[in-house]
Amino acid sequence: MIKLCVAGTVAYDSIETPFGKADNVLGGSALHFTNAASFFTDVGIVATVGSDFDLEGISFLKDRSVDLSGIEVDQGKTFRWEGRYGYDLNQAITLKTELNVIETFKPKVPEDYRNAEFLFLANIDPELQLHVIDQVAKPAALVLDTMNFWIENKLDALMKVIERVDMLVINEAELREITKEHNLLKGARKLIETGPTCVVAKRGEYGVFMMNRDEVFLAPAFPLEDVFDPTGAGDTFAGGFMGYLANVGEATAESVKQAIIMGTVMASFNVEDFSINRIKRLTMPEIKERYHALKGCMQFTDIRL
Ligand code: AMP
């Protein structure tokens, strides 16, 4: 039985950053997520790809206890995203979104994933996210991500998904766009009033803001001199976050804070190379070393008053 189930996109991306260019490389919310989460737990992916997709390119995930049987191969082309970043690497500019096989996708959650204790609805059409929720028995933690494309095109369906989830892990810009509040405290509180108990807002190089019903928690990003390509950083954060929660087996306020740190560590690796490449060659000793380096950046002794 699968512990962590993710539904989202498996894509071919074309990306341009101030430091280089990559065409038709592996990407997608579910793929970046799984690449990271698979360091901590077994993962099952629900996604679709077109007949042009080379499944061999992701077969390495099987060695990391990932079940790929939930990836449906449909007639047509794989989902494609083209994006560009300027020197503000926190801001992706979408040049083109080709939904392709996503447009007619009817997600079928494999029997083995239906009792997954942890379910992550990665960025994909909110109507498909609703289909997935309906097929999974109530998980211990049901967590949602989305992006401006769906906020602008499918807001009603998205609001229905938000009512049903326990947590949101979204970009700060998306939190502002959904809630029409500039202030993160006010925006997060607005969302919490609609159902979820916790909102985690990703703030790129400025770290993470979390609010639940009782408290606020802030975590910095890991300071890196060379950020090469931020694509997938958010999904990789979510993969580290959910993978950690599934590994410890609970989503208490304390484990959520620890999971935010693990997500931060994983995202810091993702931005060091294009596509899924850095996380593909990552090792557990490197993860542990960076965790200690990040913790070191957050230590201080009490001020003297
Ligand atoms: P992020 O973690 O936000 O940088 O996510 C980047 C990934 O999201 C890319 O690999 C894209 O393939 C994927 N993506 C881009 N637009 C969408 C969309 N509208 N729906 C789902 N996935 C998308």
Side-chain angles (χ1 to χ4, degrees), residues 1-2 67 69-70 108-116 135-137:
M1 224 185 46
I2 290 292
D67 187 321
S69 64
K108 279 185 287 304
V109 179
E111 206 56 52
D112 252 16
Y113 307 3
R114 292 190 177 199
N115 289 306
Q135 294 174 60
V136 177

Side-chain angles (χ1 to χ4, degrees), residues 13-215:
D13 289 343
S14 294
I15 303 152
E16 202 181 323
T17 79
F19 319 106
K21 206 167 169 295
D23 279 332
N24 293 313
V25 290
L26 285 169
S29 55
L31 189 55
H32 282 292
F33 175 94
T34 302
N35 201 17
S38 58
F39 278 89
F40 309 101
T41 191
D42 50 332
V43 188
I45 314 187
V46 177
T48 174
V49 293
S51 40
D52 58 346
F53 191 80
D54 174 21
L55 283 166
E56 237 345 271
I58 59 169
S59 61
F60 72 94
L61 287 169
K62 289 190 201 152
D63 302 332
R64 292 200 197 152
S65 304
V66 175
D67 187 321
L68 300 174
S69 64
I71 300 184
E72 195 176 287
V73 181
D74 287 322
Q75 278 303 314
K77 281 171 74 181
T78 298
F79 174 83
R80 275 177 163 74
W81 179 74
E82 267 180 46
R84 185 164 57 79
Y85 299 83
Y87 280 95
D88 178 2
L89 292 168
N90 286 338
Q91 198 59 52
I93 301 156
T94 294
L95 301 175
K96 207 196 270 176
T97 303
E98 279 181 36
L99 295 176
N100 297 333
V101 285
I102 300 279
E103 239 163 336
T104 49
F105 183 42
K106 292 270 171 301
K108 279 185 287 304
V109 179
E111 206 56 52
D112 252 16
Y113 307 3
R114 292 190 177 199
N115 289 306
E117 283 175 71
F118 295 83
L119 172 59
F120 188 69
L121 304 169
N123 184 20
I124 197 170
D125 185 335
E127 285 173 17
L128 303 186
Q129 291 176 325
L130 285 170
H131 278 303
V132 171
I133 302 179
D134 287 341
Q135 294 174 60
V136 177
K138 178 77 189 95
L142 201 178
V143 184
L144 168 74
D145 188 11
T146 190
M147 70 180 278
N148 51 1
F149 186 86
W150 303 113
I151 301 169
E152 284 149 29
N153 291 302
K154 297 261 176 114
L155 188 60
D156 288 351
L158 179 62
M159 294 315 290
K160 282 192 197 134
V161 186
I162 291 177
E163 278 172 26
R164 294 179 64 179
V165 302
D166 301 309
M167 280 188 254
L168 282 100
V169 174
I170 53 177
N171 285 344
E172 61 173 344
E174 275 125 26
L175 174 56
R176 293 192 172 106
E177 197 174 351
I178 297 172
T179 61
K180 300 192 174 55
E181 288 286 356
H182 174 75
N183 183 279
L184 295 183
L185 290 161
K186 287 184 183 162
R189 195 171 303 116
K190 234 181 183 176
L191 284 178
I192 286 172
E193 279 162 12
T194 67
T197 56
C198 176
V199 175
V200 177
K202 299 167 281 183
R203 310 186 59 227
E205 66 185 298
Y206 305 112
V208 171
F209 163 94
M210 183 278 276
M211 185 193 234
N212 62 27
R213 288 181 197 244
D214 305 310
E215 57 184 343

